[in-house]
Amino acid sequence: MAFGLAAMAAALAAGGAARAADPVTLQLKWVADAQFAGYFVAKDKGFYKDAGLDVTIKPGGPDVNPEQVLAGGGADVVVDWMPSALATREKGSPVVNIAQPFKRSGLELTCRADSGVKTPADFPGHTLGVWFAGNEYPFLARMAKLKISTNGPPGVTVLKQGFNVDPLLQKQAACISTMTYNEYWQLIEAGMKPAQLVVFNYTDEGENTLEDGLYALEPKLKDPAFTDRMARFVKASMQGWDYAQAHPDEAVKIVLDNDTSGAQTEEHQKHMMDDVNKLTKGSDGALDPAAYAQTVKVLLSSGSDPVITKEPQGAWTHAVTDKAGIKAP
């Protein structure tokens, strides 16, 4: 990543010395795991404190909608996927992307090789597992581009997938949604071999949509003090991601220390950290307008039922990363 750690630490320390600790509440998209390692590392290593921030990290879960938490005042900033954020914005909630730590998508469709699905042309007639609650949008866009109905045969039958890999293990679905860094490894850890799986990566299929960006509410960004607070938060968070890149084993330990559920294992978190680092590699936190445009293009291509119906306006800003001293792409 672009930051020099020593220079950043000095800058943050200098800024922090002149400020009282400003509170920031971050709502994660999912439970405490290596998907969010950069934030936990930034807090554990004191990067937020050095930036004059007192950061509270709220884990998510299946019943937590980050956009609703943001709109309800339960967080200053949230982690979410851009398809969900843009759909939410079109429905009237003024969420704005202020930074983009994840450079690539980790979303895949993973199929059993014994299902007979070898190429996307084999999807029709099969059951495919899909997450909902805003996570279904990339899948729907993908099926629309392939001109495959999602209303059952002769198209695909959609299984509303829980947040586990049981539908594939139990042969309830030919394919399920997976992330490169999480559910794929759950399948491997459950005993499946890579040769038993056929993986369709959305990015490799030309359907990359941005994931795990940072979003705040547009009216709050009109307050210079809030924008300054977010700039310090983003800069310190990216320092955390830099550190996770350079020290993956230590980052895993920090994540495990923050897993209050005790459900995570070191083996799985090491797999996650390695693959998450592939998605954040090369990102300095500033949103790439070309990647944003690609996401919008995918979402607008969903045939008669597009995820969004028109080109979004004001859905992202470089104001925060500019103030943080991060050079835009």
Side-chain angles (χ1 to χ4, degrees):
M1 295 185 184
F3 293 122
L5 291 180
M8 180 183 296
L12 289 170
R19 303 173 188 274
D22 293 322
V24 172
T25 299
L26 168 68
Q27 174 65 61
L28 304 181
K29 184 174 176 61
W30 190 239
V31 300
D33 59 23
Q35 180 181 354
F36 312 105
Y39 309 110
F40 289 118
V41 167
K43 185 174 177 68
D44 184 85
K45 302 301 291 185
F47 301 152
Y48 290 139
K49 182 179 179 181
D50 290 344
L53 300 173
D54 179 12
V55 175
T56 300
I57 302 175
K58 297 170 68 174
D63 299 322
V64 176
N65 182 319
E67 310 297 358
Q68 290 180 356
V69 174
L70 188 67
D76 299 296
V77 57
V78 300
V79 178
D80 205 357
W81 288 6
M82 184 169 282
S84 176
L86 292 183
T88 299
R89 183 176 176 87
E90 185 166 287
K91 293 174 183 173
S93 183
V95 295
V96 175
N97 180 294
I98 61 169
Q100 188 59 46
F102 273 43
K103 196 175 182 69
R104 284 171 50 92
S105 164
L107 183 61
E108 306 170 322
L109 273 174
T110 298
C111 309
R112 297 184 67 98
D114 60 10
S115 70
V117 175
K118 305 298 182 187
T119 73
D122 299 322
F123 288 153
H126 287 92
T127 296
L128 276 56
V130 184
W131 298 307
F132 278 74
N135 300 319
E136 71 275 28
Y137 297 133
F139 169 83
L140 295 176
R142 177 79 176 124
M143 291 301 114
K145 183 176 181 180
L146 293 170
K147 302 187 186 307
I148 297 175
S149 164
T150 56
N151 296 316
V156 300
T157 298
V158 174
L159 171 69
K160 187 174 182 179
Q161 183 181 331
F163 293 95
N164 58 56
V165 296
D166 289 349
L168 202 76
L169 295 175
Q170 299 171 4
K171 298 187 177 182
Q172 296 165 348
C175 314
I176 61 171
S177 297
T178 62
M179 302 305 294
T180 55
Y181 50 79
N182 193 0
E183 289 78 12
Y184 176 82
W185 289 109
Q186 290 181 22
L187 291 168
I188 299 300
E189 291 160 12
M192 296 200 76
K193 306 298 183 187
Q196 294 175 299
L197 301 171
V198 179
V199 178
F200 300 98
N201 183 283
Y202 279 66
T203 300
D204 294 343
E205 300 283 324
E207 296 294 306
N208 184 31
T209 56
L210 291 172
E211 298 160 0
D212 286 52
L214 291 170
Y215 294 84
L217 290 176
E218 188 171 5
K220 296 185 72 172
L221 292 167
K222 295 178 181 177
D223 177 0
F226 180 78
T227 299
D228 175 72
R229 192 158 29 121
M230 289 297 99
R232 285 182 280 141
F233 171 75
V234 168
K235 194 167 186 175
S237 297
M238 293 312 301
Q239 191 179 3
W241 282 115
D242 277 345
Y243 195 94
Q245 288 266 355
H247 306 86
D249 290 344
E250 184 180 352
V252 165
K253 182 179 183 304
I254 292 170
V255 167
L256 291 171
D257 288 345
N258 282 276
D259 170 32
T260 56
S261 73
Q264 308 293 353
T265 68
E266 183 175 1
E267 176 191 16
H268 187 68
Q269 291 307 303
K270 283 189 173 181
H271 284 309
M272 285 193 75
M273 193 72 259
D274 287 345
D275 277 319
V276 165
N277 279 339
K278 295 174 185 173
L279 304 183
T280 59
K281 186 177 182 180
S283 172
D284 58 9
L287 175 71
D288 179 355
Y292 166 81
Q294 162 69 13
T295 298
V296 170
K297 180 181 177 182
V298 169
L299 299 181
L300 284 172
S301 66
S302 304
S304 61
D305 188 21
V307 175
I308 53 176
T309 61
K310 57 183 181 298
E311 186 85 23
Q313 300 295 320
W316 63 276
T317 178
H318 277 158
V320 171
T321 48
D322 284 350
K323 189 167 184 59
I326 299 171
K327 186 178 180 181

